[in-house]
Amino acid sequence: MADNVTSLFRSTAAHSPSMAALARESDGAGPVDFCIPCNPYFPTPAMFEDMATRLREIITYYPSSADTITAELCSLLQLPPQCVAMGNGSTELITWIDHLLVRESLAVPVPTFGRWTDQPMETGKRVDMFPLQESSGFALDLAQYAEFIRARGTKVAVICNPNNPDGGFLHKHAVVQFMDAMADLDLVVIDESFLEFADAEVEPSVVQEAMLRPNVIVLRSLGKNFGLHGIRFGYLVANPALAGRVRSMLPKWNLNSFAEHVVFMLKEHGTEYQQSLHQVRRDRMDMSGQLSSLPGLTVYPSQGNFLFVRLPVGAEGTVVRDRMLTEHRLLVRECGNKIGSSSRFLRLVVRPQVDVRRLVSGLEQVLYGTSRRGAAVPEQATGTGYSSGTAAIDRLFSETNGAGTQGLAAQAIGAGTGAPGLPAAPAAGIGMPLPAVPSPVPVGADAGMPMPAAASSGPQQMPQQAPQPLQSPPMQSPPVQSPPVPQQPVPQQMPQQMPQQMPQQMPQHPLAAPGQVPAPAPVPAPMPAAASYPSPQMPTGPTPPGVPARGGLTAAQVRGTDGLSQAPGASWSGAQSWPEAAGMGQLS
């Protein structure tokens, strides 16, 4: 494998090679997997034995229709089937969301799951990327993100909670407040693919709130939670109009027989599933502590089933990745090809303690030990040239400790690289400070943030008034000296075709009581920045592909392409013990 490892990773531009590909290059057994974020404790050995016994039956015959499988899943999750669409993995649902519901532009914080940047680029949409700053631990400030969206006139907003790859978490009341502030957008997507591994709140999901709003979709994964990535199944939750629109486009047999078999097994294994989530959370704490003891290694707080770590200064992520695989048979995720990240970062999946001890031992030898090839860290604070696909960002991160993304955005806009008609703008992700507004409600002792008025109402009630505007203190950033970045040529403007009409008013919600008229949809919360500051000078008409939004960077610019060529693809009333819809019922 040592001779072919580099070519294996180069052939998969958006991700690591599959376990099957790695097994073919070795003696038939794959390495210990710290790359794919999968639940290592579920299914149980008894469940695997059951599937093995029925393997011939499962793979011989057609599965039931997606409607049948969805109805069974909804009976476990206590969700109305009209509000759910199941897909052949969450990436299939992301693809249909992009094709059906994203018109012109989409905003997403970066770094994040690659399909949220690559998929809309592939269909010619503008991607407005909000850089998460390493200096603040990659935390997402929702107030600044909302202002970023307003300044660019973005049509669709995406939030991943927890975020991949850093595991950053947003409390439920803050997400609901953001959803209501963005009620006038075409769409708001809350990607909760890893939320069932979180323990910061007992019920962190916003699925109930999404069903009552006309423009919100919640995306959830099953393969990650159930430890079955190969089965490819996930689902989305939205109001009946949105969910039905996506569901109507899916093939009748888009779900396979393994997915059906697992879904119908789940009602008998709710207790084991909850126990597996509880064990992953304990392992996450233990693994974080062990990794934090390594000199120069930074471990960021995570609520996912993975940890985002920054290697010591001078360590090259691709070298560490290759040597961990060839010398220690450990597969790790080097994040140099994630927009907004660099090859100084690894994402490490939470695994049992016996595997973590092997991981720590391997990192000690590769990073600091002496061997025939020497350590991966030549000297502290010497830096190195990186070989990942985002070399410009790598250099900025290594020389500015993560704050250089602001300088990159400023250079891309202000130094002649912006499109005609786009004025120079503040650094991306900073924008204008929001004025402080006194909160009308008491501050929760556990959250430390004001609770919106809608949070106290039941899940079947529409909010009677818009919540207070998102707040954050003015952000002050020290000036950053960024190295020069090669400027990318900006293509000439090309018109885009946009649909003239959006879907009509959604029908009455099926959960409403007979004869009850649901309350009107929430109006967007007023944004104080618009009233307190002059409106930014925005260009009119759709922005062509590859042209940055005001003060932002397109994915094409970061990847160093012209923006016009296609980007490479990134690769339950159930039993008493079953969790509620968020997967976060009280653990037994």
Side-chain angles (χ1 to χ4, degrees):
M1 180 186 292
D3 295 334
N4 299 327
V5 63
T6 301
S7 61
L8 280 172
F9 283 94
R10 284 179 177 172
S11 64
T12 55
H15 212 285
S16 300
S18 68
M19 191 61 66
L22 292 171
R24 286 192 294 268
E25 292 293 331
S26 61
D27 56 4
V32 178
D33 181 19
F34 282 92
C35 176
I36 307 302
C38 201
N39 185 345
Y41 299 108
F42 198 83
T44 64
M47 295 175 70
F48 276 119
E49 182 64 28
D50 178 83
M51 286 186 281
T53 302
R54 303 182 60 181
L55 176 62
R56 183 170 183 174
E57 172 189 344
I58 292 173
I59 66 176
T60 298
Y61 301 106
Y62 278 109
S64 300
S65 68
D67 290 343
T68 300
I69 304 173
T70 300
E72 176 66 15
L73 180 70
C74 289
S75 71
L76 296 174
L77 297 176
Q78 302 179 23
L79 293 172
Q82 303 94 322
C83 296
V84 176
M86 287 191 70
N88 185 30
S90 59
T91 51
E92 179 182 58
L93 297 173
I94 292 173
T95 301
W96 282 111
I97 289 171
D98 173 54
H99 281 287
L100 296 173
L101 304 173
V102 181
R103 292 189 298 161
E104 174 193 348
S105 54
L106 178 144
V108 62
V110 292
T112 194
F113 179 47
R115 292 312 297 166
W116 283 122
T117 55
D118 293 349
Q119 172 61 42
M121 279 182 58
E122 292 166 6
T123 54
K125 314 294 172 47
R126 190 186 81 214
V127 179
D128 297 337
M129 292 180 293
F130 180 78
L132 301 176
Q133 302 298 320
E134 181 188 354
S135 56
S136 60
F138 297 97
L140 173 59
D141 186 310
L142 284 176
Q144 291 186 5
Y145 185 40
E147 186 181 346
F148 173 92
I149 292 168
R150 296 300 186 196
R152 286 148 182 79
T154 316
K155 303 297 184 182
V156 174
V158 175
I159 291 176
C160 295
N161 189 36
N163 188 43
N164 173 14
D166 58 278
F169 176 78
L170 299 166
H171 285 275
K172 177 178 180 177
H173 69 86
V175 177
V176 172
Q177 188 179 7
F178 177 84
M179 287 159 46
D180 289 338
M182 300 289 108
D184 60 328
L185 297 189
D186 288 353
L187 186 68
V188 177
V189 180
I190 312 298
D191 188 339
E192 295 183 348
S193 291
F194 296 97
L195 192 62
E196 296 194 27
F197 297 106
D199 57 5
E201 285 184 287
V202 176
E203 297 181 7
S205 178
V206 296
V207 290
Q208 297 291 339
E209 289 74 14
M211 290 188 294
L212 301 176
R213 285 160 173 79
N215 71 328
V216 178
I217 285 179
V218 173
L219 191 68
R220 296 182 67 85
S221 173
L222 295 175
K224 301 175 182 67
N225 306 333
F226 299 150
L228 295 168
H229 277 283
I231 288 185
R232 308 302 304 136
F233 57 161
Y235 66 99
L236 63 78
V237 182
N239 70 74
L242 277 178
R245 188 174 179 191
V246 175
R247 193 168 53 244
S248 67
M249 299 301 295
L250 297 172
K252 188 175 183 64
W253 285 293
N254 70 316
L255 302 176
N256 60 67
S257 296
F258 267 115
E260 178 179 15
H261 187 76
V262 170
V263 168
F264 276 82
M265 288 177 66
L266 293 177
K267 58 188 173 186
E268 302 173 2
H269 299 279
T271 299
E272 295 95 324
Y273 176 61
Q274 289 191 69
Q275 291 171 347
S276 74
L277 298 178
H278 195 50
Q279 184 62 50
V280 169
R281 297 165 191 150
R282 289 198 297 262
D283 287 348
R284 181 175 60 210
M285 294 181 60
D286 176 78
M287 180 173 171
S288 177
Q290 292 195 49
L291 290 172
S292 298
S293 66
L294 296 178
L297 195 76
T298 302
V299 183
Y300 295 92
S302 173
Q303 283 286 291
N305 62 330
F306 47 81
L307 295 172
F308 196 50
V309 304
R310 184 183 67 200
L311 295 171
V313 173
E316 162 60 48
T318 56
V319 174
V320 174
R321 175 201 66 198
D322 292 354
R323 290 188 57 191
M324 291 291 286
L325 181 59
T326 57
E327 299 175 17
H328 300 279
R329 296 191 60 75
L330 300 171
L331 178 62
V332 301
R333 176 66 160 94
E334 180 265 327
C335 295
N337 62 354
K338 278 188 173 290
I339 298 172
S341 179
S342 80
S343 61
R344 284 195 65 195
F345 294 88
L346 303 179
R347 187 193 66 195
L348 303 172
V349 172
V350 173
R351 291 193 60 86
Q353 294 186 22
V354 61
D355 294 336
V356 174
R357 287 193 291 269
R358 182 174 170 182
L359 172 71
V360 172
S361 175
L363 286 172
E364 287 176 335
Q365 295 181 48
V366 169
L367 291 175
Y368 322 107
T370 57
S371 67
R372 62 184 180 88
R373 298 184 60 181
V377 183
E379 266 181 61
Q380 288 293 323
T382 60
T384 186
Y386 296 123
S387 60
S388 74
T390 54
I393 290 184
D394 290 350
R395 289 193 297 272
L396 284 170
F397 270 78
S398 64
E399 296 182 23
T400 65
N401 194 29
T405 310
Q406 302 174 24
L408 179 62
Q411 292 189 33
I413 305 299
T417 62
L422 285 175
I430 299 301
M432 298 174 290
L434 294 175
V437 179
S439 174
V441 294
V443 176
D446 57 337
M449 295 179 62
M451 293 290 291
S456 61
S457 60
Q460 307 304 326
Q461 298 178 358
M462 297 290 288
Q464 299 302 314
Q465 61 182 7
Q468 293 299 314
L470 296 170
Q471 305 175 22
S472 72
M475 185 173 179
Q476 298 180 355
S477 301
V480 177
Q481 298 297 326
S482 302
V485 179
Q487 299 177 3
Q488 301 294 333
V490 178
Q492 296 182 356
Q493 294 190 359
M494 298 181 64
Q496 290 183 348
Q497 295 294 329
M498 295 192 305
Q500 300 301 317
Q501 296 181 350
M502 289 302 289
Q504 300 299 317
Q505 184 73 19
M506 63 172 284
Q508 178 172 341
H509 196 277
L511 298 182
Q516 178 183 357
V517 178
V523 297
M527 299 300 294
S532 305
Y533 297 90
S535 298
Q537 207 172 19
M538 299 295 293
T540 59
T543 304
V547 175
R550 177 180 181 273
L553 286 172
T554 63
Q557 286 179 308
V558 176
R559 292 192 190 280
T561 68
D562 60 7
L564 298 178
S565 58
Q566 179 168 305
S571 161
W572 340 57
S573 60
Q576 292 279 338
S577 61
W578 192 259
E580 44 73 49
M584 288 300 304
Q586 188 67 35
L587 295 171
S588 56

